[in-house]
Amino acid sequence: MAQTQHPRIGDLLLARGLVTTEQLREATDAQKLTGRRLGDILVSTGKITPADLMDVLSERLAIPKITIKGLIADPEVVNIIPLPIAKKHRLIALFRINERLTVAMADPLDVVAIDEVRFKTGLMVNRVIATPEDIDAAIAQFYSVADNVERVIGDISATAPAATAVATGEDAPVVRLVDVLLTEAIKQKASDLHIEPDENILRVRFRVDGVLREEALPPAHMHAAVVARIKVMAGMDVSEKRLPQDGRFSMEAAGRSVDLRVSTLPIVHGEKVVIRILNRLGWDMSLDNIGMTPSQLTFMRGELRATEGMILISGPTGSGKTSTLYAALREIVTPEKNIVTVEDPVEYAFPIVNQVQVNEKAGLTFPICLRALMRQNPDIIMVGEVRDVTTAQIAVRAAMTGHLVLSTIHTIDAAAAAHRLIDMGTERFLVATALRSVVAQRLVRRLCKECSTPIEPSQAIRDQLGFDVLEDVGNWKRAVGCRHCRGTGYAGQIGVYEMFGATDALRGLIAEGHNAARLRDHLRETGFSSLIHQGRALVAAGVTTAEEVLRVIPRQTESWEMVS
């Protein structure tokens, strides 16, 4: 019996009107000269798209086509195929049923790839077709940092002394390992990279959306080499291991230009390294998109129109104070104003703004910079952080002498900011006179839009957030986890704010020396909307979860009586 003749790829493309006869003839001639597949030639020359080729191959070979985006893959299944093989042949394992492994392939005709997967896994292979771009994205998403690290350190013998790993060549394993860690951290939009030696392991963690997560465990014997490499990049003293050090360097990775601030700290098992990642050229935040409510935006913009007084942004480390400060600065930058900043470090460059980088080693401290810039005829002064009594006193006096001063301060909430200035040694009557407004903030993680699902909240969780049983809870959602959010259920962050302007009554309380608790009581009586109140609104709107708000907002404020 005669065999059924399957139509050729070129004929199918021609029949669908995807190519002309002339284009097909040119591609066929190129195929004879190069030996490349006809479909690859047509895609590379722009005659057809990868999706067109996938459709035709699916029909020609009777192999299902698939879109990997949106799939939730089992990490154990994905890792059946080692990363080098997945990248080499552009394929990824999706499902396993008994002894059959379903593999998405960009080139389902690659017999060598199929044989290699069979040999490596010992399983039968079911092919499905996906576009090369889809597979590349899936490989980057599903394979972890640990896989990339394991591939790099495979070149290093576990018994090699650490000194042999500190090679300076760009192909040295330790150089490639550090590059992988930095690139992956930047790719995942981490704010910090932590390298921590423990008794028997070296732990690598990324802080993404404000939460640390473990990413890799390189061999402990590589610790000294990794730290030495980072110190060289940051211009630090490689021989000094007993004292903390700070350094910085710049690099481009994942299409981003970034500054990296490095801090080392001697701990029991060696030196811990923390690298802060700053997107030097990509900052474009404005007050409109950092999470403030319409009423908060109106208040903030009104305060920024002032010509004198001190505006403080308060909160703990990592609460987004600097972003808010820069967003406020961006709001008021004009050629008519002389704006001078004193920062450590200068995280983002602004046109027209005169930014001063503090250099403690050279003697250029915050107080010295502030004293100098007061002779520069400034209209607006931005101080990166009020850290000590001298800085506080100079900033307060500047605010009292016809300058608008913006700065940050570490306090638990807005009410504590004024008291913190007094604790530093600033006279309370000066604080009462100079203080114009305070903004306190936290960052909560946004729910992932791809996987969050509605939920009926329990009475217990409503009670913790102060929700009335009659309030609408139809928009409450829970975090689920998918490939887009790396299983966390969250993607990105949004600010939660509380703010107040210094009224005559409040100034009087500050001048009389009342503590932060009394100031809170006064604010509550005047209709103050607190952090927990704002967080509650985000939960009700389905932007974040109750668990996330309770994790981030200080529990001290949960007992306050909320006034809308």
Side-chain angles (χ1 to χ4, degrees):
M1 188 173 70
Q3 288 186 326
T4 303
Q5 292 294 320
H6 294 288
R8 294 178 300 177
I9 297 295
D11 294 336
L12 289 173
L13 290 169
L14 197 60
R16 292 188 177 201
L18 296 173
V19 295
T20 64
T21 304
E22 180 61 24
Q23 289 172 336
L24 184 59
R25 185 188 62 76
E26 290 175 355
T28 303
D29 291 341
Q31 182 185 31
K32 293 175 182 177
L33 292 173
T34 62
R36 295 172 60 199
R37 290 197 173 94
L38 183 68
D40 293 339
I41 294 170
L42 290 168
V43 169
S44 64
T45 55
K47 301 298 189 299
I48 62 173
T49 67
D52 293 334
L53 180 60
M54 183 176 74
D55 289 342
V56 171
L57 284 173
S58 176
E59 179 183 341
R60 168 70 175 78
L61 303 173
I63 297 174
K65 61 182 180 181
I66 192 169
T67 301
I68 304 176
K69 182 179 180 181
L71 290 180
I72 300 177
D74 184 344
E76 291 187 6
V77 173
V78 171
N79 284 290
I80 289 175
I81 299 177
L83 179 60
I85 294 177
K87 283 190 170 182
K88 176 184 175 183
H89 297 296
R90 257 186 172 164
L91 52 81
I92 189 167
L94 298 178
F95 316 107
R96 177 180 177 177
I97 300 177
N98 298 323
E99 299 304 308
R100 287 195 169 271
L101 185 67
T102 298
V103 179
M105 304 180 67
D107 182 3
L109 297 173
D110 190 343
V111 178
V112 174
I114 296 170
D115 287 343
E116 190 168 354
V117 171
R118 283 174 181 162
F119 176 77
K120 192 69 179 179
T121 65
L123 302 172
M124 297 298 293
V125 175
N126 285 345
R127 296 170 294 169
V128 294
I129 305 173
T131 63
E133 293 77 13
D134 206 6
I135 290 177
D136 289 344
I139 289 173
Q141 190 73 37
F142 291 136
Y143 283 95
S144 67
V145 178
D147 298 311
N148 286 309
V149 169
E150 184 178 345
R151 175 171 54 85
V152 172
I153 64 178
D155 298 334
I156 307 171
S157 169
T159 59
T164 63
V166 194
T168 57
E170 292 304 312
D171 290 331
V174 69
V175 173
R176 287 187 281 121
L177 174 58
V178 171
D179 286 347
V180 164
L181 295 178
L182 292 172
T183 301
E184 289 292 341
I186 293 168
K187 231 188 256 185
Q188 293 187 32
K189 298 183 179 178
S191 61
D192 302 270
L193 163 61
H194 292 238
I195 299 172
E196 306 163 330
D198 211 330
E199 187 172 3
N200 298 310
I201 61 172
L202 179 60
R203 181 177 290 107
V204 175
R205 297 193 290 173
F206 295 170
R207 187 181 294 279
V208 179
D209 292 337
V211 178
L212 278 172
R213 63 187 187 209
E214 189 174 286
E215 293 288 348
L217 296 171
H221 73 271
M222 292 200 67
H223 170 248
V226 169
V227 173
R229 170 61 182 169
I230 293 171
K231 283 183 174 180
V232 169
M233 296 173 75
M236 299 159 71
D237 186 350
V238 177
S239 63
E240 180 56 75
K241 302 177 182 178
R242 300 166 298 174
L243 297 174
Q245 293 189 66
D246 294 303
R248 65 185 302 161
F249 63 98
S250 301
M251 66 179 291
E252 292 203 13
R256 299 170 60 191
S257 180
V258 297
D259 281 338
L260 299 109
R261 287 161 43 194
V262 181
S263 172
T264 65
L265 179 69
I267 60 175
V268 173
H269 300 293
E271 288 181 281
K272 174 179 176 175
V273 179
V274 175
I275 302 175
R276 184 75 185 274
I277 301 169
L278 306 170
N279 190 5
R280 177 160 40 97
L281 300 179
W283 193 89
D284 60 353
M285 199 69 71
S286 70
L287 288 179
D288 291 305
N289 58 14
I290 60 176
M292 289 185 180
T293 65
S295 60
Q296 288 173 338
L297 276 171
T298 300
F299 171 82
M300 192 68 183
R301 286 185 167 127
E303 293 298 289
L304 292 171
R305 284 195 293 269
T307 57
E308 61 183 358
M310 175 180 279
I311 300 174
L312 288 177
I313 315 293
S314 72
T317 300
S319 60
K321 299 188 299 297
T322 301
S323 291
T324 301
L325 199 59
Y326 275 101
L329 200 63
R330 181 176 182 176
E331 193 83 9
I332 55 180
V333 169
T334 65
E336 293 78 25
K337 293 176 182 175
N338 179 21
I339 302 176
V340 186
T341 76
V342 182
E343 306 171 64
D344 185 22
V346 173
E347 297 194 7
Y348 307 104
F350 267 85
I352 313 177
V353 177
N354 305 286
Q355 295 174 272
V356 180
Q357 167 71 57
V358 168
N359 188 339
E360 298 277 354
K361 292 180 181 178
L364 190 63
T365 62
F366 271 104
I368 289 175
C369 289
L370 279 172
R371 289 192 186 98
L373 69 84
M374 289 299 290
R375 297 188 290 272
Q376 293 284 314
N377 188 29
D379 296 303
I380 298 169
I381 299 169
M382 193 268 269
V383 183
E385 181 184 342
V386 177
R387 298 180 176 179
D388 53 59
V389 60
T390 308
T391 303
Q393 289 175 345
I394 298 173
V396 164
R397 285 187 169 86
M400 294 173 60
T401 55
H403 304 91
L404 182 63
V405 178
L406 308 177
S407 189
T408 69
I409 193 166
H410 285 253
T411 61
I412 191 172
D413 57 23
H419 203 258
R420 175 67 180 138
L421 289 174
I422 296 169
D423 282 345
M424 285 182 177
T426 310
E427 293 289 345
R428 60 177 183 264
F429 70 88
L430 294 178
V431 174
T433 304
L435 192 63
R436 180 171 187 85
S437 55
V438 180
V439 177
Q441 69 179 82
R442 296 293 188 278
L443 290 176
V444 297
R445 292 179 292 173
R446 292 178 184 265
L447 278 164
C448 174
K449 294 180 180 179
E450 301 291 334
C451 64
S452 61
T453 58
I455 185 176
E456 181 71 28
S458 66
Q459 184 61 50
I461 199 71
R462 292 207 300 265
D463 290 343
Q464 287 187 68
L465 280 175
F467 270 91
D468 188 283
V469 292
L470 299 178
E471 291 192 63
D472 178 27
V473 294
N475 289 324
W476 280 50
K477 294 180 180 179
R478 69 181 180 92
V480 178
C482 65
R483 61 175 289 228
H484 298 278
C485 58
R486 290 184 169 265
T488 65
Y490 300 92
Q493 293 175 289
I494 187 172
V496 183
Y497 302 87
E498 63 180 24
M499 53 187 70
F500 68 81
T503 61
D504 289 340
L506 191 64
R507 293 181 196 278
L509 292 174
I510 295 171
E512 291 168 11
H514 290 281
N515 61 20
R518 177 67 186 93
L519 298 184
R520 290 189 194 104
D521 290 340
H522 172 77
L523 291 170
R524 178 194 61 193
E525 293 162 4
T526 58
F528 177 64
S529 182
S530 70
L531 287 169
I532 197 72
H533 183 270
Q534 297 300 320
R536 186 173 67 176
L538 292 177
V539 173
V543 175
T544 188
T545 62
E547 293 78 10
E548 178 67 4
V549 168
L550 293 173
R551 179 185 72 85
V552 173
I553 306 296
R555 302 191 73 82
Q556 175 185 352
T557 64
E558 292 175 25
S559 61
W560 301 356
E561 180 183 345
M562 299 306 151
V563 182
S564 300

